[in-house]
Amino acid sequence: MTRRIVVVGGGAAGMGAAGGIKAVDPGCEVTVYTGFDDVAYSPCGIPYVHGKEIDSFERLFLASKQAYVDAGIDVHYKADVTKVDVSRKVVEVALEGEVSWDTLVLATGFNYADPGVPGGDLGGLYYVKNIREAIEWDKVLDAVKSAVVIEASPLGVEMVTALAHRGIETHLVDPSPWPMSEVADPDIMEPVEESWRELGVITHFNTTLEAFLGDDRVQAVQTSEGEIKADLVVVCTHKEPNNTLGVSAGLKIGSTGGFIVDERMATSAPGVFAAGDCTEIPNGLTGVPLQGLTGSHAYAQGKTAGINAAGGSRAYSAVYVPWGTAAGKWIIGGASLGETTATALGIPYVVGSAQGISRARYYPGVKPVKVKLLAEPGSLRLLGAQMVGGEGIKERADFLAVAIKFGLTLHDLATMENVYSPAIGALNEPIVVAAQSGLDAARKS
């Protein structure tokens, strides 16, 4: 009998799951339900279209709708799943009724946290997520003179930069003392703030949002610092797992609100898997559950869930979270812990840091690169890293996440080999110099 698998959600996790299913069992009946008009586009690219770094939204689509038809994946668009019944193995779909399944994959994604202030129903509040809405909002941006971004989350950092590049007077309101304060350290973000000032961005840190003001449309935001006029407000609050369907079905959730899954991405309910922003995954170093990771994490989780849902075998490991993004004129990134997070968790550490360069000093286009490494006192095992620079941050973040995963030490990094070629790498690799700095600090402590 043909296995029938239903996937709820058409983002990176959902379509990764659908592909994983077909890879294991090409004859399997795969149905994907999404409440949107499209699947498998890159929402992460939306700020860069708004900022004119990418010239069209069409570039963000990863495949045509016909490609999924050809692959044997039946995608139902604008089809909201309203209920999951685990005992009867059915989902209820708006306008379609009940649909049975042998195996279910939930990839329901995230919702932005409600700002929780008056005026949340006004027009002119933009939540960056749906590409069709983004296309319409992009037309609005041509007439916007002043905009406010709420919260310096990773998306908020990207949207601040995009709006400033667009020539819009941009204000950033955040209750924390510096951008991305939950994951990034102040010394890493300081150059970003400086570049924003150069772009004319006005930042309001340690400032609380109190209300959105206006009649039908937002005209200003009220903050603890005063009123800020705005033609547009971009709400970039933190991501919360969209867990309503699973919770109603009795699936267990963890401290983040995400579904608890094992290494197979299986939930607490037999035959039900979950992947992406609706789940929580442990940090490999601390065991602390994390939710709302990157698109690459969501896709890999979806692949794992789909392969296992179809009867295959794949495990998804705990994460060490390499991360990075463009911010102002800089690129920031890191892996696992920074000083702020380590301190909050009560984890002792030794710091090594270095200010280096991305290429030979005499080669055109050379960029600065700052690397900061955290290591465990005594063993000097690498705990985390943070960086800011003009290029090469992504590759270093990827490598350092692997180094943390496999227990490399400052001794290992201080003596590592590195590529030297004037056009692509400096004689002194900044990671090496930072590790040597950490060894010096450890000897002095």
Side-chain angles (χ1 to χ4, degrees), residues 27-260:
C28 185
E29 183 180 326
V30 183
T31 308
V32 177
Y33 292 97
T34 176
F36 298 113
D37 299 85
D38 309 282
V39 296
Y41 58 86
S42 174
C44 301
I46 290 173
Y48 300 96
V49 182
H50 288 326
K52 301 297 187 183
E53 289 90 354
I54 299 173
D55 61 7
S56 73
F57 285 98
E58 285 69 27
R59 291 185 180 274
L60 304 187
F61 288 93
L62 307 179
S64 67
K65 292 184 177 181
Q66 185 60 43
Y68 298 108
V69 175
D70 295 342
I73 299 170
D74 183 17
V75 182
H76 291 225
Y77 302 94
K78 295 185 179 178
D80 290 312
V81 175
T82 58
K83 184 178 180 181
V84 171
D85 189 326
V86 173
S87 61
R88 295 175 54 228
K89 288 195 169 185
V90 296
V91 295
E92 191 170 300
V93 185
L95 305 180
E96 292 188 28
E98 288 190 344
V99 177
S100 64
W101 45 268
D102 298 309
T103 314
L104 176 68
V105 180
L106 294 178
T108 47
F110 73 93
N111 297 313
Y112 290 107
D114 185 347
V117 299
D121 57 347
L122 292 173
L125 302 183
Y126 177 24
Y127 293 81
V128 183
K129 188 175 184 182
N130 184 329
I131 194 167
R132 296 291 168 179
E133 292 180 359
I135 291 170
E136 297 306 311
W137 279 109
D138 198 67
K139 300 171 186 175
V140 173
L141 290 178
D142 289 333
V144 169
K145 291 184 170 55
S146 176
V148 174
V149 175
I150 303 299
E151 293 195 15
S153 62
L155 173 65
V157 166
E158 292 171 344
M159 282 303 299
V160 165
T161 303
L163 295 173
H165 284 167
R166 192 77 174 244
I168 296 169
E169 179 187 303
T170 304
H171 294 255
L172 171 63
V173 175
D174 191 280
S176 303
W178 66 83
M180 289 177 55
S181 61
E182 291 185 355
V183 296
D185 294 337
D187 58 323
I188 297 300
M189 299 307 297
E190 185 177 358
V192 174
E193 293 187 60
E194 182 181 343
S195 71
W196 280 342
R197 287 191 287 271
E198 293 173 4
L199 288 168
V201 173
I202 303 165
T203 57
H204 307 263
F205 291 110
N206 297 308
T207 302
T208 304
L209 173 70
E210 296 181 344
F212 300 114
L213 305 176
D215 297 322
D216 295 324
R217 292 186 60 82
V218 68
Q219 296 174 317
V221 297
Q222 182 65 48
T223 77
S224 57
E225 197 180 79
E227 187 176 307
I228 305 170
K229 291 184 178 180
D231 304 314
L232 172 76
V233 176
V234 186
V235 181
C236 299
T237 49
H238 68 274
K239 298 193 293 185
E240 294 182 336
N242 183 7
N243 62 15
T244 304
L245 279 176
V247 169
S248 298
L251 271 61
K252 291 182 180 178
I253 61 172
S255 59
T256 69
F259 299 125
I260 296 173

Side-chain angles (χ1 to χ4, degrees), residues 317-343:
S317 303
V319 293
Y320 295 83
V321 201
W323 62 272
T325 189
K329 68 179 183 182
W330 300 105
I331 302 168
I332 55 174
S336 193
L337 307 176
E339 288 192 79
T340 301
T341 306
T343 300

